Amino acid sequence: MGNLSVEDIKQHVRNAKEVYVSTIDANGYPITRVMFNLHNPAGFPKQAAYLDNQEEWRIYLGTNTSSAKVSQVLQNKRISLYYHKPDSWEGILIAGEGEIVDDMPVKVGLWQDGWEMYYAGGVESPDYTVIEIRPVFAEYYHDLSKDTLQIG
């Protein structure tokens, strides 16, 4: 894959079970945590189908409004995502800018039955937030090399 494309990146994103998400804290340090990969059709078929039908390619995360990552994205939009292929050194880094989404159809499209355990009020819970990431560039690490693609 010497010529990295957005389609290549999308495929890696779809195949990853989880995503490692890094935001910048108030002191300028990157904070990384693992999150659900809503773009993975094996784990989240409803969400992946919804996201595949969006006009513009964006990456979405669902989280608690009260989480540190929401306040960090509001303070500094820079965010990075890492999708790793299990049992290999292969992975995709996507860097971009995060935005908080208030659009109820997007929140409903990404909602998973059973998430009431995280968001007591359901999809309309004030503690349920969606973060939209607009990718700026990606780096694909494989076979002791790296391919880079400017996206935005």
Side-chain angles (χ1 to χ4, degrees), residues 19-24 30-35 59 61 69 73 76-83 92-98 131 133-139 141:
V19 57
Y20 294 86
V21 179
S22 298
T23 53
I24 307 299
I31 306 298
T32 303
R33 74 284 280 161
V34 66
M35 295 183 67
I59 298 172
L61 306 168
K69 74 185 87 48
V73 167
N76 184 336
K77 295 178 185 280
R78 290 186 177 137
I79 190 168
S80 69
L81 311 168
Y82 192 80
Y83 299 87
I92 290 272
L93 166 78
I94 299 171
E97 295 188 352
I131 301 173
I133 295 92
R134 294 182 179 153
V136 174
F137 69 90
E139 294 181 344
Y141 302 95

Side-chain angles (χ1 to χ4, degrees), residues 2-121:
N3 295 323
L4 187 63
S5 72
V6 171
E7 284 306 315
D8 296 328
I9 296 166
K10 286 181 184 180
Q11 193 57 44
H12 282 281
V13 168
R14 283 186 202 106
N15 290 336
K17 183 178 176 185
E18 65 270 323
V19 57
Y20 294 86
V21 179
S22 298
T23 53
I24 307 299
D25 75 4
N27 295 313
Y29 292 101
I31 306 298
T32 303
R33 74 284 280 161
V34 66
M35 295 183 67
F36 292 138
N37 178 9
L38 302 179
H39 295 261
N40 177 285
F44 296 95
K46 173 191 167 248
Q47 292 83 352
Y50 171 79
L51 292 168
D52 283 345
N53 288 319
Q54 299 301 303
E55 284 184 39
E56 287 189 79
W57 184 58
R58 300 287 187 252
I59 298 172
Y60 291 87
L61 306 168
T63 192
N64 295 89
T65 308
S66 58
S67 71
K69 74 185 87 48
V70 169
S71 62
Q72 290 163 358
V73 167
L74 289 170
Q75 292 289 317
N76 184 336
K77 295 178 185 280
R78 290 186 177 137
I79 190 168
S80 69
L81 311 168
Y82 192 80
Y83 299 87
H84 178 255
K85 184 175 180 181
D87 302 321
S88 79
W89 290 101
E90 187 176 351
I92 290 272
L93 166 78
I94 299 171
E97 295 188 352
E99 298 275 339
I100 304 304
V101 175
D102 292 323
D103 188 7
M104 188 52 73
V106 173
K107 291 175 126 181
V108 169
L110 298 176
W111 181 258
Q112 175 78 23
D113 289 339
W115 279 357
E116 294 83 3
M117 65 187 282
Y118 305 114
Y119 315 103

